[in-house]
Amino acid sequence: MIQEFFEKPVNREKLRNDLFDGLEVSKNRKNMRDFHKYPVIYLNFKDDESNNYESAIEYLKDKISDLFKYQGEKINIENLKNDEQTKWKKIKDMKENETGLTQSIRFLCDCLIKFYKRKCIVLIDEYDKALMNSFEKKYYDEMYSIIKSLFSNTFKGNDNLYFGITTGCLPLGLNSFYSGVNNFYECSLLKDQYFNDCYGFTENELNKILSDFGITHTDDQRDMIRKKYDGYTCHTNGQGTIKNLYNPFSIMNFIKEYSSKKGKKIEYGDFWCNSGKEIIIKKTIEENELSFTKNFLSLLYGNIIVIEAAKEIVLKENYNEDEIMIILLDSRYLTLSDEKEYKKNINNMDDQMTKALLNKIEVNNLSLDEPESTEEYENSYQIEKYKHKIINEIEKKKRKYV
């Protein structure tokens, strides 16, 4: 949709000016000044299933070749200088070497500005898919180097770049990829002051969607929709927390299923877990025995836990528990909470669950100033003391509640 909005069309007969009619973006005159004005370069790694580094390079050559073919249909490349035409053809014919490949998008920006007289917008979607696939297939280091060089050449010091957007599920190497890039903003569920209500459908948006598709529902059915597909939360850089964001992928698949089975029993499918995002998740949970940890069992029971929030994820064989939790959070299998809910959760935790989650050593090491009492009273007092201890030890810096 970003490409549809910004990209300057060549064939006026294929204009879709009505695509954004009635949407919020079309109601702002300032926004519409940029409508259909820029050359847009769009690269998507979602279908990268390369089995080794050599096939990954061929995949990248093919994807970038398609970019040059697409743009070549919209401009007359014969107006470029001879050496530029030669380089263009070399990239298009997939004959460029690896170094030239990592510089190709920047070169495309240099060429397009000569025709459009405007800087380029670069969109790179699901960049982490290529890295996750390379990690699974054992050529991660080489692929990481190529992606890093591609990003650096495209975004760093590119005078013909208007702006760029990179999307991914996991924040893999972003700090090093964008090292030295001016005006770099990282937006995520952990902190986003600009797009914090855009990670899912809000309650009002969901109501409108269900209404538009003629889906009527009882309170019980709405509660089930909320239970299955609600849950995203986004922190807003000190301005508060946006809660109750519904998974768009799951909601749209639910509507598709509902529409195809009118008159039949409503089924609330598990759509997100089959969306292809679970490569790293399965590997990390299985190899790090997460299923047997106290915090993981606590999550399954519906409790809130506290974790250290790493700024980025580095793919490796072994992870500590907090790193695994961040992977689950970024993959949308966990959601953020806040300190208020955490305290409430601790206070409301039943005694049996508290005992199950406590290590015996932790209980025995509690400093109890009360006189000896019955075993039942002592256990109860220890549990309350422990809860109070947890709440008082909350450290806000770099801590997240999930």
Side-chain angles (χ1 to χ4, degrees):
M1 293 299 285
I2 296 175
Q3 182 178 12
E4 284 279 359
F5 183 85
F6 286 104
E7 188 170 43
K8 184 174 183 178
V10 174
N11 190 337
R12 309 300 295 183
E13 296 179 359
K14 294 184 179 180
L15 280 179
R16 297 202 292 172
N17 289 332
D18 60 342
L19 188 61
F20 297 92
D21 286 354
L23 303 183
E24 290 299 317
V25 67
S26 67
K27 299 174 184 178
N28 187 311
R29 288 186 177 182
K30 185 178 179 181
N31 291 338
M32 297 310 292
R33 291 174 191 164
D34 289 327
F35 183 57
H36 286 172
K37 293 289 176 62
Y38 299 91
V40 177
I41 300 169
Y42 176 66
L43 183 62
N44 193 326
F45 288 102
K46 69 177 181 180
D47 56 350
D48 182 15
E49 301 291 344
S50 306
N51 289 316
N52 51 54
Y53 179 66
E54 291 71 24
S55 61
I57 291 300
E58 290 303 308
Y59 168 86
L60 189 57
K61 286 182 177 181
D62 183 60
K63 298 293 286 189
I64 292 178
S65 170
D66 287 343
L67 289 180
F68 278 76
K69 291 175 182 177
Y70 174 76
Q71 297 294 344
E73 293 176 353
K74 303 170 71 175
I75 63 174
N76 185 1
I77 64 170
E78 292 183 0
N79 291 333
L80 295 172
K81 296 178 181 178
N82 289 336
D83 60 331
E84 292 173 332
Q85 291 185 46
T86 300
K87 186 174 181 65
W88 183 293
K89 188 175 186 302
K90 191 175 183 181
I91 297 172
K92 181 175 71 70
D93 293 341
M94 300 174 57
K95 296 180 180 179
E96 186 61 280
N97 59 32
E98 292 179 17
T99 300
L101 198 62
T102 62
Q103 300 169 349
S104 58
I105 294 181
R106 188 187 187 111
F107 170 68
L108 186 55
C109 291
D110 295 340
C111 294
L112 294 180
I113 197 172
K114 296 179 181 180
F115 295 92
Y116 291 95
K117 309 304 179 186
R118 287 181 180 270
K119 295 183 177 182
C120 293
I121 295 171
V122 176
L123 309 174
I124 300 181
D125 204 2
E126 298 198 45
Y127 83 98
D128 57 330
K129 177 62 165 59
L131 293 174
M132 287 191 289
N133 182 67
S134 67
F135 180 74
E136 185 186 21
K137 307 290 178 56
K138 310 298 184 184
Y139 61 93
Y140 173 71
D141 290 342
E142 297 95 325
M143 197 64 190
Y144 181 93
S145 179
I146 284 291
I147 298 294
K148 181 179 179 180
S149 296
L150 177 68
F151 275 45
S152 179
N153 288 322
T154 300
F155 297 114
K156 186 176 180 180
N158 187 349
D159 294 333
N160 295 323
L161 177 70
Y162 182 39
F163 69 80
I165 298 176
T166 303
T167 69
C169 187
L170 301 178
L172 304 178
L174 283 178
N175 289 334
S176 57
F177 284 176
Y178 286 105
S179 176
V181 175
N182 293 327
N183 301 318
F184 165 59
Y185 297 98
E186 181 180 352
C187 301
S188 75
L189 291 172
L190 296 176
K191 185 177 68 174
D192 190 342
Q193 66 186 88
Y194 301 106
F195 310 106
N196 44 68
D197 62 347
C198 298
Y199 291 86
F201 294 133
T202 64
E203 198 79 38
N204 289 337
E205 289 170 339
L206 178 63
N207 289 336
K208 187 176 188 308
I209 291 170
L210 295 177
S211 175
D212 288 346
F213 282 89
I215 299 177
T216 58
H217 50 276
T218 64
D219 290 342
D220 288 343
Q221 290 170 338
R222 182 53 180 267
D223 288 342
M224 191 62 185
I225 293 174
R226 184 177 291 109
K227 181 179 179 180
K228 292 289 290 187
Y229 311 127
D230 176 24
Y232 288 1
T233 298
C234 183
H235 286 181
T236 59
N237 197 23
Q239 301 174 24
T241 302
I242 303 296
K243 299 181 180 181
N244 302 118
L245 297 172
Y246 290 81
N247 184 317
F249 181 84
S250 295
I251 289 295
M252 298 315 295
N253 275 280
F254 164 73
I255 290 173
K256 180 180 178 182
E257 290 289 313
Y258 180 93
S259 300
S260 66
K261 297 179 179 179
K262 282 190 174 181
K264 299 180 181 179
K265 182 180 178 180
I266 299 176
E267 295 183 5
Y268 304 88
D270 297 321
F271 303 108
W272 185 247
C273 66
N274 297 314
S275 62
K277 304 288 185 182
E278 70 278 2
I279 296 173
I280 299 300
I281 295 169
K282 286 182 178 179
K283 185 178 179 65
T284 54
I285 290 178
E286 291 172 359
E287 295 185 358
N288 293 275
E289 298 184 345
L290 179 66
S291 303
F292 301 100
T293 66
K294 182 173 66 176
N295 274 338
F296 190 74
L297 293 173
S298 186
L299 284 171
L300 293 179
Y301 190 78
N303 291 314
I304 298 171
I305 65 171
V306 185
I307 62 174
E308 293 283 350
K311 203 163 188 181
E312 69 175 17
I313 295 171
V314 177
L315 294 180
K316 53 187 179 181
E317 293 298 329
N318 296 302
Y319 299 87
N320 64 44
E321 187 177 79
D322 283 348
E323 290 171 332
I324 297 174
M325 295 302 179
I326 288 294
I327 291 174
L328 290 170
L329 177 64
D330 285 325
S331 302
R332 311 302 188 263
Y333 288 96
L334 295 180
T335 190
L336 288 168
S337 186
D338 55 32
E339 185 177 324
K340 182 179 179 181
E341 288 188 356
Y342 176 69
K343 289 181 178 180
K344 181 180 178 181
N345 177 254
I346 293 297
N347 284 323
N348 292 338
M349 189 185 299
D350 67 70
D351 290 353
Q352 290 302 317
M353 188 61 198
T354 306
K355 291 177 183 178
L357 295 177
L358 287 177
N359 289 324
K360 187 175 180 181
I361 294 175
E362 290 178 317
V363 178
N364 291 338
N365 285 342
L366 288 176
S367 175
L368 301 178
D369 298 324
E370 300 297 316
E372 291 185 4
S373 56
T374 64
E375 182 179 352
E376 181 179 354
Y377 175 80
E378 184 174 338
N379 285 340
S380 176
Y381 182 79
Q382 284 181 319
I383 288 170
E384 291 305 315
K385 187 86 172 180
Y386 182 77
K387 290 180 179 179
H388 186 69
K389 177 175 176 280
I390 294 174
I391 292 173
N392 286 340
E393 288 180 350
I394 290 174
E395 297 175 8
K396 295 181 181 179
K397 189 176 181 182
K398 295 183 180 179
R399 306 281 282 184
K400 296 296 178 183
Y401 307 91
V402 298

XYZ file of all heavy atoms in Angstrom, residues 22-66:
382
model
N -11.807 7.898 0.998
C -12.497 7.614 2.242
C -11.598 7.191 3.383
O -12.044 7.108 4.530
N -10.330 6.905 3.077
C -9.386 6.530 4.126
C -8.804 7.775 4.788
O -8.796 8.865 4.207
C -8.267 5.664 3.550
C -8.699 4.370 2.840
C -7.480 3.584 2.388
C -9.558 3.510 3.759
N -8.286 7.595 5.993
C -7.779 8.734 6.762
C -6.676 9.470 6.024
O -6.590 10.696 6.084
C -7.267 8.253 8.127
C -8.352 7.791 9.084
C -9.337 8.906 9.422
O -8.882 10.044 9.669
O -10.553 8.633 9.415
N -5.817 8.728 5.313
C -4.691 9.365 4.634
C -5.164 10.362 3.576
O -4.522 11.385 3.328
C -3.765 8.296 3.999
C -4.460 7.570 2.858
C -2.463 8.916 3.543
N -6.320 10.090 2.946
C -6.817 10.955 1.881
C -7.484 12.225 2.415
O -7.766 13.151 1.653
C -7.808 10.191 0.994
O -8.984 9.877 1.726
N -7.729 12.259 3.721
C -8.400 13.424 4.312
C -7.425 14.521 4.720
O -7.847 15.599 5.139
C -9.210 12.977 5.534
C -10.308 11.965 5.193
C -10.991 11.444 6.449
C -12.021 10.366 6.117
N -12.666 9.812 7.344
N -6.144 14.231 4.571
C -5.106 15.194 4.955
C -4.434 15.739 3.697
O -3.773 15.008 2.960
C -4.077 14.497 5.865
C -3.061 15.466 6.444
O -2.470 16.257 5.734
N -2.858 15.372 7.751
N -4.605 17.024 3.460
C -4.051 17.625 2.242
C -2.541 17.505 2.175
O -1.961 17.326 1.099
C -4.459 19.103 2.166
C -5.933 19.318 1.842
C -6.208 20.789 1.637
N -7.597 21.029 1.255
C -8.084 22.232 0.986
N -7.293 23.303 1.070
N -9.358 22.371 0.634
N -1.892 17.617 3.326
C -0.432 17.504 3.360
C 0.008 16.128 2.886
O 0.985 16.005 2.135
C 0.070 17.772 4.776
C 1.587 17.793 4.890
C 2.018 18.107 6.313
C 3.541 18.103 6.420
N 4.001 18.396 7.807
N -0.708 15.097 3.297
C -0.376 13.744 2.843
C -0.543 13.611 1.340
O 0.290 13.013 0.651
C -1.279 12.712 3.539
C -0.988 12.564 5.017
O 0.108 12.888 5.475
N -1.963 12.087 5.766
N -1.608 14.157 0.814
C -1.933 13.974 -0.604
C -0.991 14.722 -1.527
O -0.982 14.469 -2.737
C -3.383 14.387 -0.859
C -4.413 13.540 -0.101
S -4.175 11.748 -0.302
C -4.595 11.557 -2.046
N -0.186 15.615 -0.993
C 0.825 16.286 -1.831
C 1.870 15.303 -2.329
O 2.525 15.539 -3.349
C 1.508 17.394 -1.034
C 0.618 18.581 -0.705
C 1.351 19.537 0.212
N 0.461 20.554 0.760
C 0.750 21.324 1.799
N 1.920 21.187 2.396
N -0.115 22.219 2.241
N 2.045 14.195 -1.592
C 3.038 13.185 -1.982
C 2.421 12.030 -2.762
O 3.124 11.092 -3.143
C 3.722 12.618 -0.728
C 4.656 13.618 -0.074
O 5.261 14.411 -0.813
O 4.777 13.596 1.168
N 1.136 12.093 -3.020
C 0.428 11.006 -3.695
C 0.888 10.876 -5.147
O 0.854 11.827 -5.926
C -1.073 11.270 -3.635
C -1.938 10.191 -4.223
C -1.862 8.889 -3.756
C -2.839 10.473 -5.235
C -2.664 7.892 -4.274
C -3.644 9.487 -5.769
C -3.557 8.191 -5.292
N 1.365 9.666 -5.519
C 1.792 9.367 -6.891
C 2.870 10.336 -7.392
O 2.798 10.818 -8.530
C 0.585 9.418 -7.847
C -0.313 8.238 -7.715
N -1.538 8.163 -8.353
C -0.196 7.079 -7.022
C -2.114 7.021 -8.056
N -1.324 6.352 -7.234
N 3.907 10.579 -6.566
C 4.915 11.572 -6.946
C 6.333 11.025 -7.064
O 7.194 11.687 -7.620
C 4.917 12.706 -5.901
C 3.656 13.549 -5.888
C 3.559 14.423 -7.121
C 2.257 15.200 -7.163
N 2.119 16.129 -6.028
N 6.622 9.826 -6.567
C 8.008 9.400 -6.439
C 8.290 8.059 -7.111
O 7.405 7.219 -7.232
C 8.371 9.259 -4.949
C 8.248 10.542 -4.181
C 7.049 10.876 -3.542
C 9.315 11.426 -4.094
C 6.919 12.064 -2.843
C 9.195 12.618 -3.385
C 7.992 12.932 -2.766
O 7.867 14.108 -2.077
N 9.554 7.856 -7.514
C 9.957 6.500 -7.913
C 10.108 5.646 -6.656
O 10.697 6.079 -5.668
C 11.315 6.721 -8.596
C 11.833 8.009 -8.026
C 10.631 8.844 -7.704
N 9.552 4.450 -6.673
C 9.578 3.565 -5.509
C 10.274 2.259 -5.883
O 9.934 1.624 -6.887
C 8.157 3.279 -4.989
C 8.215 2.283 -3.818
C 7.474 4.564 -4.552
N 11.235 1.853 -5.067
C 11.963 0.599 -5.260
C 11.531 -0.355 -4.154
O 11.723 -0.075 -2.970
C 13.483 0.836 -5.200
C 13.914 1.811 -6.307
C 14.236 -0.486 -5.320
C 15.344 2.302 -6.165
N 10.936 -1.478 -4.534
C 10.373 -2.420 -3.555
C 11.020 -3.784 -3.689
O 11.001 -4.402 -4.751
C 8.866 -2.535 -3.750
C 8.202 -3.549 -2.850
C 8.172 -3.360 -1.476
C 7.621 -4.702 -3.380
C 7.557 -4.300 -0.646
C 7.010 -5.640 -2.559
C 6.989 -5.430 -1.195
O 6.395 -6.359 -0.383
N 11.607 -4.242 -2.576
C 12.287 -5.539 -2.553
C 11.732 -6.363 -1.396
O 11.684 -5.901 -0.259
C 13.792 -5.321 -2.369
C 14.714 -6.538 -2.375
C 14.637 -7.264 -3.722
C 16.152 -6.112 -2.096
N 11.312 -7.603 -1.686
C 10.695 -8.455 -0.670
C 11.405 -9.809 -0.616
O 11.561 -10.474 -1.632
C 9.206 -8.656 -0.990
C 8.432 -9.257 0.173
O 8.948 -10.069 0.933
N 7.176 -8.851 0.311
N 11.815 -10.199 0.599
C 12.545 -11.455 0.781
C 11.667 -12.603 1.276
O 12.188 -13.641 1.700
C 13.683 -11.240 1.796
C 14.828 -10.420 1.274
C 14.952 -9.086 1.622
C 15.774 -10.978 0.447
C 16.012 -8.325 1.157
C 16.842 -10.229 -0.033
C 16.964 -8.891 0.326
N 10.373 -12.443 1.258
C 9.491 -13.412 1.914
C 9.579 -14.819 1.330
O 9.311 -15.809 2.032
C 8.043 -12.929 1.848
C 7.438 -12.929 0.454
C 5.972 -12.498 0.501
C 5.358 -12.514 -0.897
N 3.935 -12.095 -0.870
N 9.934 -14.941 0.046
C 9.934 -16.271 -0.583
C 11.334 -16.869 -0.697
O 11.576 -17.788 -1.474
C 9.283 -16.212 -1.962
C 9.957 -15.194 -2.881
O 10.801 -14.412 -2.400
O 9.635 -15.172 -4.091
N 12.277 -16.363 0.098
C 13.644 -16.894 0.043
C 13.715 -18.245 0.760
O 13.565 -18.331 1.968
C 14.617 -15.905 0.701
C 16.051 -16.404 0.628
O 16.319 -17.335 -0.149
O 16.910 -15.846 1.351
N 13.934 -19.292 -0.023
C 14.073 -20.643 0.529
C 15.402 -21.252 0.087
O 15.531 -22.479 -0.024
C 12.912 -21.534 0.051
C 11.523 -21.044 0.431
C 11.258 -21.147 1.928
O 12.015 -21.867 2.612
O 10.303 -20.493 2.402
N 16.399 -20.407 -0.147
C 17.696 -20.868 -0.648
C 18.318 -21.893 0.286
O 18.261 -21.753 1.508
C 18.649 -19.676 -0.814
O 18.070 -18.665 -1.620
N 18.961 -22.906 -0.301
C 19.543 -23.992 0.495
C 21.008 -23.782 0.837
O 21.546 -24.457 1.717
C 19.390 -25.323 -0.251
C 17.945 -25.785 -0.278
O 17.251 -25.730 0.730
N 17.489 -26.224 -1.447
N 21.669 -22.857 0.147
C 23.069 -22.573 0.441
C 23.390 -21.154 -0.024
O 22.550 -20.472 -0.621
C 23.997 -23.588 -0.249
C 23.688 -23.729 -1.741
O 23.649 -22.755 -2.482
N 23.436 -24.966 -2.167
N 24.612 -20.715 0.262
C 24.986 -19.336 -0.031
C 24.949 -19.045 -1.532
O 24.494 -17.978 -1.958
C 26.383 -19.058 0.522
C 26.873 -17.655 0.248
C 26.248 -16.543 0.829
C 27.960 -17.439 -0.596
C 26.693 -15.259 0.576
C 28.422 -16.154 -0.850
C 27.782 -15.067 -0.267
O 28.227 -13.791 -0.529
N 25.409 -19.992 -2.325
C 25.435 -19.777 -3.781
C 24.028 -19.578 -4.338
O 23.802 -18.675 -5.167
C 26.106 -20.972 -4.480
C 27.596 -21.108 -4.241
C 27.952 -21.555 -2.828
O 27.079 -22.182 -2.177
O 29.082 -21.280 -2.390
N 23.090 -20.387 -3.881
C 21.715 -20.239 -4.373
C 21.080 -18.960 -3.815
O 20.218 -18.356 -4.455
C 20.870 -21.461 -3.984
O 20.782 -21.614 -2.580
N 21.509 -18.521 -2.641
C 21.009 -17.275 -2.069
C 21.454 -16.076 -2.906
O 20.681 -15.131 -3.121
C 21.492 -17.110 -0.632
N 22.702 -16.121 -3.396
C 23.192 -15.043 -4.263
C 22.415 -15.033 -5.577
O 22.048 -13.961 -6.095
C 24.705 -15.205 -4.529
C 25.498 -14.935 -3.245
C 25.170 -14.245 -5.630
C 25.330 -13.557 -2.658
N 22.125 -16.213 -6.118
C 21.331 -16.283 -7.346
C 19.918 -15.755 -7.104
O 19.340 -15.071 -7.966
C 21.268 -17.726 -7.856
C 22.589 -18.239 -8.410
C 23.116 -17.361 -9.544
O 22.345 -17.103 -10.499
O 24.270 -16.924 -9.460
N 19.377 -16.057 -5.946
C 18.051 -15.534 -5.581
C 18.078 -14.010 -5.530
O 17.170 -13.343 -6.067
C 17.644 -16.111 -4.224
C 16.442 -15.429 -3.603
C 15.142 -15.825 -3.923
C 16.599 -14.381 -2.690
C 14.035 -15.204 -3.359
C 15.499 -13.749 -2.124
C 14.229 -14.165 -2.460
O 13.136 -13.534 -1.893
N 19.103 -13.447 -4.882
C 19.214 -11.994 -4.773
C 19.409 -11.353 -6.141
O 18.821 -10.305 -6.444
C 20.378 -11.633 -3.844
C 20.510 -10.168 -3.433
C 19.239 -9.672 -2.768
C 21.707 -9.983 -2.509
N 20.222 -11.977 -6.981
C 20.411 -11.463 -8.351
C 19.086 -11.438 -9.109
O 18.786 -10.475 -9.832
C 21.421 -12.340 -9.112
C 22.870 -12.147 -8.703
C 23.785 -13.022 -9.561
C 25.251 -12.787 -9.211
N 26.159 -13.620 -10.052
N 18.307 -12.501 -8.947
C 17.019 -12.595 -9.636
C 16.051 -11.510 -9.151
O 15.361 -10.869 -9.961
C 16.428 -13.983 -9.411
C 15.118 -14.179 -10.159
O 15.115 -14.070 -11.396
O 14.101 -14.429 -9.494
N 15.998 -11.298 -7.825
C 15.096 -10.291 -7.273
C 15.477 -8.890 -7.748
O 14.602 -8.085 -8.117
C 15.128 -10.337 -5.743
C 14.662 -11.636 -5.117
C 13.181 -11.880 -5.331
C 12.315 -11.002 -4.473
N 10.880 -11.388 -4.541
N 16.760 -8.596 -7.751
C 17.206 -7.259 -8.160
C 17.097 -7.099 -9.669
O 16.792 -6.006 -10.179
C 18.637 -7.008 -7.648
C 18.607 -6.909 -6.114
C 19.224 -5.737 -8.252
C 19.944 -6.711 -5.467
N 17.300 -8.178 -10.404
C 17.086 -8.142 -11.853
C 15.645 -7.752 -12.175
O 15.385 -6.940 -13.072
C 17.411 -9.502 -12.463
O 17.004 -9.559 -13.820
N 14.704 -8.313 -11.411
C 13.284 -7.975 -11.606
C 13.025 -6.493 -11.343
O 12.188 -5.872 -12.021
C 12.407 -8.821 -10.681
C 12.314 -10.269 -11.133
O 12.641 -10.549 -12.307
O 11.918 -11.119 -10.313
